[in-house]
């Protein structure tokens, strides 16, 4: 029941996909047209095809696959910068919309997204201006988990471009990503482990993190097409050096020598320009589109580069494997503890209505702090899930490197522990041992729970 309530609360604040934006006009050096494609489960999605104006003959083609996001009509505009830049490199480019149905924060089916991509790819490949033997798929971020699946399913995909493609499981990559956001925001202390690692592991094992345990290595090992993989050298969402190392080793072991690994200078995760606050701008980082265009031209000419790996950038920290939760760390047990706290501490004022015996101030303090500490901490961790920006986390006011809300929850937990000790010392001589015993049991359970979540740690 508590888990269902928590899910309901999360869904209530989940962002709703905006209505389709008004498209600005196509630049004069390009032409564009609208297309539709139908997915395997019967959805009709739209897209925009871009091509260089005045081009003659047939051209190489590139389908764009989105990163994470809720999708919907007009979602193609998120990839307009890439679509226009790649079209200027002499390609026919399709920027499609992304499904909303069956795609949520709690459910990600990468096989289904790969089938969607192949449905869009078939439409692009059949266009008269496209050379069918020179058509490939590009994927950004989450698309790096999707595109290898699509390429492994269809030999008609002649080449693969991965932009900031993660080669780690989503849960492990997200822990690394969120840890970096905390560091960039200046958040430290126990919450810097409780939220990125402990919280995400719990929701991943509970099925509340879509695709958390997807293993990207098996699909990559089945890719036989030439692969171009690029990462921004300053990417803090996907570990660039580590991801490149895994991709290189996987393709080499699988016997695919046609891979090129590059790192885009002065570029972040999506390889777009950014403003002073780190917000993404529409234009791509200089040199990125040229690198893609030159590589596609080489592949289209029948000369795909072999085993080319650029020197990796310095990566501040390696990712860490996220161990599966023990039974006592699971979401049902952890939320069950919250239910016990409500029952045990809530019984104190409820029983007073029937027994009318005076309480003690340590017990009253324990009742208040024993509820405020854990419920406040879980509520705060829940809201942090929706406060992650592209580069930072909106953690609220800080005192030093500690969020004030977290400090308040920690203070409540410390007060609860002190109160538990005082209640224990007075319990045998108490005239109301039932009520005192219930809150004492709650306090005894609260101590290990608070240690696990970092409320009693610096």
């Amino acid at each position: 029941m508590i888990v269902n309530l928590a899910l309901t609360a999360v869904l209530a604040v989940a962002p709703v996909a905006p209505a389709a934006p008004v498209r600005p006009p196509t630049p004069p050096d390009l032409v564009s047209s609208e297309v539709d494609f139908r997915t395997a489960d019967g959805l009709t999605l739209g897209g925009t095809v871009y091509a260089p104006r005045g081009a003659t003959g047939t051209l190489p083609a590139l389908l764009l696959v989105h990163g994470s996001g809720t999708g919907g009509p007009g979602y193609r505009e998120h990839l307009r910068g890439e679509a226009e830049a790649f079209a200027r490199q002499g390609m026919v480019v399709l920027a499609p919309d992304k499904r909303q149905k069956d795609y949520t924060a709690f459910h990600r089916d990468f096989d289904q997204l790969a089938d969607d991509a192949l449905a869009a790819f078939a439409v692009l490949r059949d266009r008269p201006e496209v050379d069918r033997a020179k058509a490939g798929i590009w994927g950004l971020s989450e698309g790096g988990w999707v595109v290898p699946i699509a390429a492994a399913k269809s030999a008609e995909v002649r080449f693969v471009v991965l932009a900031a493609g993660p080669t780690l499981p989503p849960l492990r990559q997200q822990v690394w990503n969120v840890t970096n956001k905390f560091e960039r925001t200046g958040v430290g202390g126990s919450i810097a482990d409780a939220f990125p690692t402990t919280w995400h592991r719990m929701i991943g094992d509970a099925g509340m993190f879509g695709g958390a345990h997807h293993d990207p290595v098996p699909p990559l090992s089945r890719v036989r097409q030439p692969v171009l993989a690029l990462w921004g050298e300053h990417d803090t969402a996907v570990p660039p050096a580590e991801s490149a190392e895994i991709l290189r080793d996987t393709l080499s072991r699988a016997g695919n020598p046609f891979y090129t690994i590059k790192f885009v200078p002065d570029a972040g995760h999506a390889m777009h320009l950014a403003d002073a606050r780190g917000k993404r701008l529409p234009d791509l980082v200089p040199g990125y589109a040229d690198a893609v265009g030159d590589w596609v031209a080489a592949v289209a000419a029948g000369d795909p580069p072999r085993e080319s790996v650029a020197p990796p950038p310095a990566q501040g920290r390696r990712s860490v494997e996220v161990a599966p939760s023990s039974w006592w760390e699971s979401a049902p047990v952890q939320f069950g503890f919250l239910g016990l706290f409500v029952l045990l501490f809530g019984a104190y004022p409820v029983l007073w209505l029937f027994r009318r015996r005076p309480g003690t101030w340590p017990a009253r303090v324990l009742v208040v702090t024993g509820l405020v500490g854990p419920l406040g901490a879980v509520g705060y961790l829940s809201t942090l899930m929706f406060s992650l920006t592209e580069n930072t986390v909106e953690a609220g006011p800080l005192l030093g490197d500690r969020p004030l809300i977290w400090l308040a929850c920690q203070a409540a937990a410390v007060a609860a522990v002190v109160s538990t000790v005082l209640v224990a010392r007075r319990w045998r001589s108490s005239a109301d041992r039932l009520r005192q015993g219930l809150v004492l049991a709650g306090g005894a359970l609260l101590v290990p729970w608070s240690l696990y979540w970092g409320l009693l740690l610096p």
Side-chain angles (χ1 to χ4, degrees), residues 267-303:
H269 177 59
M271 287 167 274
H272 278 244
L273 296 175
D275 64 18
R277 297 192 301 174
K279 183 178 180 181
R280 186 188 307 183
L281 298 174
D283 291 336
L284 306 185
V285 169
Y288 167 43
D290 294 328
V292 174
D294 292 345
W295 184 87
V296 170
V299 173
D303 187 25

Side-chain angles (χ1 to χ4, degrees), residues 4 48 50 54 57 63 80 89 92 98 189 195 208 249-250 253 260 283 287 307 322 357 385 396 415 420 425 435 440:
N4 289 336
T48 304
Y50 296 86
L63 170 72
R80 180 161 184 156
Q89 295 294 320
V92 182
K98 184 178 181 178
F195 180 68
M208 293 185 284
D249 292 347
T250 300
R253 283 195 303 268
T260 299
D283 291 336
E307 298 174 338
V322 183
R357 292 182 180 177
M385 293 178 65
T420 298
R425 293 177 61 183
R435 284 204 303 157
L440 181 58

Side-chain angles (χ1 to χ4, degrees), residues 23 32-35 46-50 76-77 83 93-97:
R23 289 186 59 222
S32 66
S33 57
E34 305 302 302
V35 297
T48 304
V49 175
Y50 296 86
R76 70 195 78 167
E77 291 299 307
V93 183
L94 171 54
D97 288 334

Side-chain angles (χ1 to χ4, degrees), residues 201-223:
R201 178 176 60 188
M202 183 187 74
I203 66 173
D205 290 346
M208 293 185 284
F209 181 160
H213 301 292
H214 168 71
D215 185 354
V217 170
L220 272 174
S221 68
R222 295 192 294 270
V223 173

Side-chain angles (χ1 to χ4, degrees), residues 177-443:
N177 174 23
V178 176
T179 299
N180 289 332
K181 293 182 190 299
F182 268 54
E183 185 177 88
R184 293 185 66 154
T185 307
V187 175
S190 63
I191 194 173
D193 183 65
F195 180 68
T197 302
T198 308
W199 179 265
H200 279 84
R201 178 176 60 188
M202 183 187 74
I203 66 173
D205 290 346
M208 293 185 284
F209 181 160
H213 301 292
H214 168 71
D215 185 354
V217 170
L220 272 174
S221 68
R222 295 192 294 270
V223 173
R224 297 292 178 262
Q225 299 91 330
V227 176
L228 170 63
L230 309 102
W231 289 269
E233 64 176 6
H234 300 310
D235 194 340
T236 58
V238 171
E242 194 173 351
S243 298
E245 178 184 313
I246 294 171
L247 183 138
R248 179 201 65 201
D249 292 347
T250 300
L251 293 179
S252 294
R253 283 195 303 268
N256 182 352
F258 299 106
Y259 58 84
T260 299
I261 294 173
K262 291 179 176 289
F263 303 95
V264 181
D266 301 319
H269 177 59
M271 287 167 274
H272 278 244
L273 296 175
D275 64 18
R277 297 192 301 174
K279 183 178 180 181
R280 186 188 307 183
L281 298 174
D283 291 336
L284 306 185
V285 169
Y288 167 43
D290 294 328
V292 174
D294 292 345
W295 184 87
V296 170
V299 173
D303 187 25
R306 297 174 61 95
E307 298 174 338
S308 174
V309 181
Q315 184 180 307
R317 66 166 60 83
R318 300 280 293 186
S319 70
V320 177
E321 184 176 359
V322 183
S325 298
S326 300
W327 67 268
W328 55 271
E329 298 175 292
S330 66
V333 173
Q334 292 300 314
F335 284 114
F337 269 106
L338 292 183
L340 281 175
F341 296 147
V342 171
L343 289 174
L344 293 172
F345 295 131
Y348 191 81
V350 171
L351 288 177
W352 178 85
L353 297 174
F354 300 95
R355 303 173 70 89
R356 299 287 180 173
R357 292 182 180 177
T360 62
W361 71 263
R364 289 193 290 268
V365 171
L366 179 52
V367 167
V368 174
T369 56
L371 291 173
V372 169
L375 294 178
V378 170
Y380 182 56
L381 293 173
S382 299
T383 61
L384 285 179
M385 293 178 65
F386 301 102
S387 69
L388 299 174
T389 67
E390 188 165 351
N391 297 301
T392 61
V393 57
E394 299 292 341
L398 303 180
L399 182 60
D401 62 350
R402 314 301 166 95
L404 285 179
I405 297 176
W406 187 252
L407 283 174
C409 295
Q410 289 185 297
V414 171
V417 171
V418 173
S419 300
T420 298
V421 173
L422 296 176
V423 170
R425 293 177 61 183
R426 301 181 184 190
W427 179 72
R428 289 187 179 276
S429 60
S430 172
D432 192 6
R433 294 176 69 177
L434 175 60
R435 284 204 303 157
Q436 299 285 326
L438 289 173
V439 296
L440 181 58

